[in-house]
């Protein structure tokens, strides 16, 4: 077969160019990390080869001694990082380093502000390691051959990082990849072996493959191993520095920032394994993407088995990064086997407990860090009560809410805080769900609670309504929505209040009936309210009903949602309601009633079916008032 050396020049995807600019800007003060990124990629490529070779031993091509090598060429001003890992074919080169195939790319670019300094801070979350080479290089050459392909299928990729790259097919015996950086003027320090040693020691010592540097006098150079090449997680905890833990995290998580916290455990007994689990500081862009990768890496007796072993963490803890290394699983374990494996189930259950324990410790001892965690991952944790029934109570303790006590959008009230502030005689934990913080906070349903100084949790995240349907009780106390069901504040109402309400029921009997006739099917009942002190009216759902804003949202998204008719409650203390009693004219009574209903719906975050009529009626009433 003849080599199709066909050489072409291709444009980078626009995003890649933007990214390169940002990258150079953001990382310039810490440019040495380019080496960490290239070594991290080389190590990943070796892991990938090992994984593929599990099912096809021939891919090793009789060379299973995987390693990373660095070579300096002073004359040519180049630095080359090589690996004998999996390599890439032509399409893979285009896909992996000519485009950014990452999910979440579009959102990332949409979130950019155009202010380079600000945007630069975002780059770390995006994790685009390969391009960091251009911080110090004005030209990068990648030569690679995919494991399993013949020598004629080598590929050379060359770019100056300015907008385009060339691609050609070459003969290449060596399996794997060489990345050669042609250093920019002024970057000569990276041609010094001592400098390279120091950088590798600092950032890449934990890489479990040998990293070798070619050193020595001209003609007498020798390969020297410059890292300790031990699996970090297998070392005793007390011998690992925080810096080492952090660098290892950046490698496994493909993150540029330090982790928030971590937990490292060795379990011995009926089965033995090690887990090293990290919580990141920042949510990645693809947290909600089902295709996302980079979760937990699975190893068996130090040998890499697979990336993103999703069986090792439940979905609501999908932000956890790290490794699990089992002594007992077979080396040829596959994803299918993992799905029905007792060993994996035990490791998973124990790992979940470790993570929950880690978060509990953080909440207790480092509340500021916990607040960061909650801001980034709170919405995901809220999936926990539904997904992980067994740990429901522990997850509930980790939840944080806004509440009428703090009246702040910052979610920092725990259920335990709430319990401590409950009024004597109060039997339930009260909450409200709404479309936004403002809607929750200003809801008429809160009036009586504010009045009596009873705290109400304010919930407005999309998952909240769903979460609360799985969280019905905490510490033996039921959780109750203030917008649903009969409000039973009995224990908190004094005799005078009760008497007042009873009197109002009698006094308004006829008004209530007339209103019911006007509203007909729109409401399940019209009754005197025990929850209003300032607003004239509000809508109340049944215990099992979905919040109004949620019903409308689901309907808009095309879901069938059963119609649940709310009850209309009126406040006999309100002048508008008092006036209702005096209205004889049926049309006028109807207008008043409908306006009260519609405004109650609006206050609920609901949308009016016929806003124009509402406006017309309201204007009519305003004019009427003016004329009186
Ligand atoms: P990430 O490592 O987070 O995926 P990078 O920008 O560092 O992002 O690398 C992009 C992709 O390029 C990698 O996912 C991999 O597919 C490919 N790649 C980079 N370096 C190598 C290498 N040495 N061998 C094989 N593939 C590589
Ligand atoms: Mg990388």
């Amino acid at each position: 077969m003849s080599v199709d050396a066909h050489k072409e020049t291709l444009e980078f995807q626009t995003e890649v160019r933007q990214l390169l600019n940002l990258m150079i800007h953001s990382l310039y003060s810490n440019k040495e990390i380019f080496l960490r990124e290239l070594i991290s990629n080389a190590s990943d490529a070796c892991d990938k080869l090992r994984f593929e070779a599990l099912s096809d031993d021939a891919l090793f091509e009789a060379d299973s001694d995987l390693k990373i090598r660095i070579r300096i060429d002073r004359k040519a001003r180049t630095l080359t990082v090589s690996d004998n890992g999996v390599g890439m074919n032509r399409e893979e080169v285009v896909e992996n380093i000519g485009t950014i195939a990452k999910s979440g790319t579009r959102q990332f670019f949409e979130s950019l502000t155009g202010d380079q300094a600000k945007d630069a801070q975002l780059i770390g979350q995006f994790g685009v390691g390969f391009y960091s080479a251009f911080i110090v290089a004005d030209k990068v050459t990648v030569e690679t051959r995919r494991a399993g392909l013949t020598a004629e299928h080598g590929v050379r990729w060359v770019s100056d990082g300015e907008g385009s790259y060339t691609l050609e097919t070459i003969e290449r015996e060596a399996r794997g990849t060489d990345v050669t950086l042609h250093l920019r003027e002024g970057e000569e320090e990276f041609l010094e072996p001592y400098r390279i040693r120091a950088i590798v020691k600092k950032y890449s010592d934990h890489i479990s493959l040998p990293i070798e540097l070619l050193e020595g006098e001209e003609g007498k150079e020798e390969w020297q191993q410059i890292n300790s090449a031990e699996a970090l997680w297998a070392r005793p905890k007390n011998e690992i520095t925080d810096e080492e833990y952090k660098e290892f995290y950046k490698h496994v998580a493909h993150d540029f920032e330090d982790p928030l916290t971590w937990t490292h455990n060795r379990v011995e007994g009926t089965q033995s394994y090690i887990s090293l689990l990290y919580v990141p500081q920042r949510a990645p862009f693809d947290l909600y993407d089902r295709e996302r990768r980079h979760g937990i890496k699975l190893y068996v007796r130090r040998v890499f088995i697979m990336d993103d072993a999703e069986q090792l963490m439940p979905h609501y803890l999908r932000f956890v990064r790290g490794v699990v290394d089992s002594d007992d699983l077979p080396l040829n374990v596959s994803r299918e086997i993992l799905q029905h494996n007792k060993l994996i189930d035990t490791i998973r259950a124990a790992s979940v407990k470790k993570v929950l324990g880690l978060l509990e410790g953080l909440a207790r001892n480092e509340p500021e860090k916990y607040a960061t965690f909650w801001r980034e991952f709170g919405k995901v944790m809220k999936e926990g009560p539904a997904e992980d029934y067994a740990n429901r109570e522990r997850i509930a303790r980790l939840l944080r809410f806004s509440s009428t006590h703090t009246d702040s959008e910052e979610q920092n009230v725990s259920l335990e805080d709430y319990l401590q502030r409950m009024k004597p005689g109060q039997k339930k934990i009260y909450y409200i769900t709404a479309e936004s913080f403002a809607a929750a906070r200003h809801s008429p349903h809160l009036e009586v609670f504010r009045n009596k100084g009873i705290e109400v949790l304010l919930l407005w995240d999309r998952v909240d309504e769903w979460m609360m349907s799985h969280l019905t009780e905490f510490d033996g106390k039921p959780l109750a929505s203030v917008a649903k069901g009969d409000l039973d504040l009995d224990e908190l109402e004094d005799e005078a209040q009760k008497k007042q309400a009873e009197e109002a029921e009698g006094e308004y009997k006829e008004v209530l009936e007339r209103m019911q006739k006007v509203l007909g099917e729109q409401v399940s009942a019209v009754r005197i309210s025990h929850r209003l002190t300032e607003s004239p009216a509000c809508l109340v759902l049944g215990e099992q009903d979905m919040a109004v804003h949620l019903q409308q949202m689901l309907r808009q998204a095309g879901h069938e949602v059963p119609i649940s008719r709310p009850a209309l409650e009126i406040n006999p203390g309100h002048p508008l309601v008092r006036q209702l009693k005096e209205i004889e004219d049926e049309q006028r009574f109807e207008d008043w009633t409908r306006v009260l209903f519609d405004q109650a719906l609006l206050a609920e975050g609901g949308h009016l079916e016929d806003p124009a009529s509402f406006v017309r009626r309201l204007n009519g009433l305003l004019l009427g008032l003016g004329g009186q």
Side-chain angles (χ1 to χ4, degrees), residues 172-313:
R172 181 178 155 97
E173 283 297 331
R175 175 196 68 220
T177 307
D178 296 348
V179 179
T180 300
L181 312 194
H182 185 268
L183 296 173
R184 290 179 196 276
E185 203 68 50
E187 306 296 357
E188 292 72 22
E189 57 179 298
F190 301 113
L191 296 172
E192 300 295 340
Y194 81 91
R195 190 73 176 99
I196 298 300
R197 274 178 178 271
I199 300 172
V200 169
K201 197 83 205 148
K202 181 166 172 194
Y203 298 105
S204 308
D205 197 51
H206 61 77
I207 293 287
S208 49
L209 302 167
I211 303 173
E212 298 176 348
L213 179 65
L214 190 62
E215 273 190 287
E217 281 172 45
E218 226 183 296
K220 284 192 270 175
E221 291 106 330
E222 278 179 17
W223 290 106
Q224 307 274 350
Q225 183 170 332
I226 58 173
N227 70 330
S228 46
E230 266 183 290
L232 176 113
W233 62 90
R235 288 165 48 196
K237 265 164 111 158
N238 56 8
E239 289 175 15
I240 308 174
T241 65
D242 281 2
E243 283 316 310
E244 288 177 305
Y245 274 121
K246 289 177 187 170
E247 287 309 328
F248 182 68
Y249 164 78
K250 290 176 190 167
H251 169 61
V252 285
H254 296 242
D255 197 347
F256 278 71
E257 280 184 286
D258 288 342
L260 191 66
T261 180
W262 61 86
T263 171
H264 185 188
N265 310 281
R266 179 188 296 270
V267 176
E268 267 149 25
T270 43
Q271 71 157 319
S272 310
Y273 63 91
I274 302 169
S275 65
L276 172 53
L277 306 169
Y278 292 91
V279 175
Q281 265 188 67
R282 239 194 264 254
F285 282 94
D286 52 1
L287 194 59
Y288 289 95
D289 190 324
R290 294 250 154 203
E291 307 271 290
R292 119 225 109 72
R293 38 181 214 139
H294 303 324
I296 309 289
K297 283 180 197 267
L298 177 66
Y299 287 74
V300 172
R301 294 182 289 284
R302 320 294 170 264
V303 177
F304 173 80
I305 303 295
M306 69 179 78
D307 255 328
D308 191 19
E310 63 263 345
Q311 289 79 12
L312 286 170
M313 266 306 141

Side-chain angles (χ1 to χ4, degrees), residues 500-515:
Q500 234 177 9
E502 269 162 36
E503 276 171 20
E505 314 254 331
E507 199 183 330
Y508 279 85
K509 193 162 175 291
E510 202 197 321
V511 172
L512 294 175
E513 281 166 8
R514 282 173 77 195
M515 290 178 84

Side-chain angles (χ1 to χ4, degrees), residues 544-559:
Q544 307 303 331
D545 290 344
M546 214 184 280
V548 173
H549 69 278
L550 199 71
Q551 289 187 29
Q552 291 190 334
M553 197 174 81
L554 288 174
R555 276 194 204 105
Q556 273 163 11
H559 296 279

Side-chain angles (χ1 to χ4, degrees), residues 41-42 45 48 83 88 96-97 102 127-130 177 254 293:
N41 286 348
K48 248 181 243 165
D83 65 72
M88 288 177 273
N96 296 334
I97 56 185
K102 288 194 168 74
V128 275
F130 173 78
T177 307
H254 296 242
R293 38 181 214 139

